[in-house]
Amino acid sequence: MSLLVLSQADIDQILPQGDADGANQVIDIMAATFATYTNAQQTGDQHNAQAPLRIGITTDSHRVLFMPSRLDTTTSIKVVSAPLGDSKGGLPGTILVLDETTGAVQAIMNASGLTAVRTAAGSGVATRFYANPDAKRLVVIGAGAQGASHVDMMIAARPSIEHVTIWNRGSERRDALVSAVKKAYPNLVGVEGVGDDAALAQAVQQADIICTCTNATSPILKGEWLKPGTHINCVGSYRMDMHEVDAATVKRADAIVVDSIESCKHEAGELVKSSTPATWTELGAILIDQLGNNTLHYNSKGISLFKSVGVSLQDSAIAGWVVQQAKEKKIGQTVPYA
């Protein structure tokens, strides 16, 4: 018996920044995943779409989360250590993938970057449906792994994007991401980094797509800044006390779409504070309704908001795809494990 080990460098080789074809492939995978998740919730047949509640333990410095899931024939568990204090080191994460026949672990991979990729790909699905099909200006709030992945997925979903603004209070991450985006996308008309509220407000007022990718507990994005026709992907907050956007943003949204209504009831602080679940639509329901049709839901006079707190099925979806790609391209290290 052997074990496939995939490092972050291996993951980057499988899905390098600027690879629009690869990004769209992952967006397609997440679309199928959301449709499968919602269908399982509606029919009660969850054999191939199992997502038990995550469990956690608290150490001196981290909240360690264990998230098992099964999607079709991929069964996995992700372990993520969320820092209790300073989060500059990111979120250490690992995914174990089981062999469908033997039940043994067949692969272990660095999940720090994959979590950002699958989350951003989920935003890409919503963006395909709700963003201006001729979107030109993208604003990404937050310059961590989530911010970087959202730049990739937004450009893949809307290749019409010409200008990218990165907001981050700290200059080190902001400058690094601006440089990386310029290198990966040399044909963009403009890429800029901003760090103050006034510059952010000016960028938001012109934005077609906005992605919030922070762990803020006080709102950064203000509803009064938004122009009609804007689409927002809100992915950074995952607790009731976390708020990336203010109440005005939520109340201005005439379309509120979520990855999981049940999860957002308990984890989407912004939505729970300023709206009711009866006004939310699950993304999977739209996909089931429009499967094979991809009807555009863009409203030039309205505001659309997609809120994601994460569905563990996404981890099995991305992990299964990565294992397949690694085997086909002979990436990673295979070690004895008997």
Side-chain angles (χ1 to χ4, degrees):
M1 185 171 65
S2 60
L3 177 68
L4 176 64
V5 180
L6 296 168
S7 67
Q8 184 58 55
D10 295 326
I11 302 296
D12 291 340
Q13 190 176 348
I14 291 170
L15 189 62
Q17 187 171 34
D19 179 5
D21 290 340
N24 274 307
Q25 191 173 349
V26 178
I27 293 174
D28 290 341
I29 290 169
M30 290 304 136
T33 301
F34 286 132
T36 299
Y37 170 78
T38 297
N39 184 65
Q41 300 300 306
Q42 292 177 351
T43 64
D45 182 5
Q46 300 182 12
H47 176 70
N48 288 326
Q50 300 178 47
L53 293 175
R54 65 189 178 197
I55 61 173
I57 60 174
T58 303
T59 69
D60 290 341
S61 55
H62 292 86
R63 177 67 174 169
V64 185
L65 303 173
F66 300 84
M67 293 163 278
S69 64
R70 173 178 170 80
L71 178 68
D72 297 326
T73 58
T74 300
T75 302
S76 72
I77 183 167
K78 182 170 75 171
V79 183
V80 174
S81 297
L84 298 177
D86 184 7
S87 62
K88 288 184 178 179
L91 296 175
T94 300
I95 296 179
L96 301 177
V97 181
L98 303 186
D99 183 279
E100 179 70 8
T101 302
T102 67
V105 176
Q106 66 161 316
I108 180 170
M109 65 189 70
N110 188 317
S112 300
L114 279 182
T115 300
V117 169
R118 61 84 150 157
T119 301
S123 295
V125 177
T127 299
R128 283 178 175 177
F129 279 103
Y130 285 93
N132 184 342
D134 193 36
K136 294 291 192 294
R137 288 183 171 267
L138 167 67
V139 171
V140 175
I141 299 176
Q146 286 284 7
S149 289
H150 271 78
V151 171
D152 291 336
M153 295 300 171
M154 294 306 102
I155 292 176
R158 286 292 184 266
S160 56
I161 289 173
E162 297 177 347
H163 193 283
V164 177
T165 299
I166 309 294
W167 179 93
N168 201 71
R169 292 202 191 280
S171 61
E172 184 176 353
R173 274 188 173 184
R174 183 179 69 233
D175 294 345
L177 183 52
V178 167
S179 295
V181 172
K182 286 181 177 179
K183 181 178 180 180
Y185 302 98
N187 293 328
L188 287 173
V189 174
V191 181
E192 64 173 347
V194 299
D196 61 85
D197 289 348
L200 176 61
Q202 185 176 10
V204 166
Q205 288 164 5
Q206 303 175 71
D208 300 298
I209 301 171
I210 302 166
C211 302
T212 64
C213 311
T214 75
N215 60 358
T217 53
S218 296
I220 298 172
L221 180 64
K222 306 295 177 63
E224 65 188 56
W225 299 339
L226 302 170
K227 72 174 185 179
T230 302
H231 173 67
I232 305 161
N233 296 305
C234 182
V235 306
S237 57
Y238 54 89
R239 297 195 313 260
M240 296 297 284
D241 64 325
M242 298 174 75
H243 297 80
E244 294 186 285
V245 306
D246 67 358
T249 299
V250 178
K251 291 177 179 178
R252 284 196 64 188
D254 62 307
I256 298 178
V257 187
V258 300
D259 56 355
S260 166
I261 290 177
E262 190 59 34
S263 295
C264 283
K265 286 180 183 178
H266 305 286
E267 299 177 351
E270 301 105 328
L271 295 194
V272 173
K273 178 182 177 181
S274 304
S275 65
T276 62
T279 64
W280 309 344
T281 300
E282 206 161 83
L283 183 55
I286 295 170
L287 287 154
I288 292 171
D289 182 52
Q290 304 294 348
L291 199 57
N293 189 2
N294 269 3
T295 299
L296 188 67
H297 290 248
Y298 170 63
N299 179 0
S300 62
K301 298 180 180 179
I303 304 291
S304 56
L305 187 153
F306 172 62
K307 175 60 190 171
S308 170
V309 294
V311 175
S312 59
L313 289 182
Q314 293 177 266
D315 297 320
S316 282
I318 190 71
W321 179 79
V322 165
V323 169
Q324 179 185 21
Q325 293 292 308
K327 289 181 176 179
E328 290 178 0
K329 299 176 180 178
K330 302 188 184 307
I331 294 173
Q333 294 186 357
T334 301
V335 299
Y337 191 68

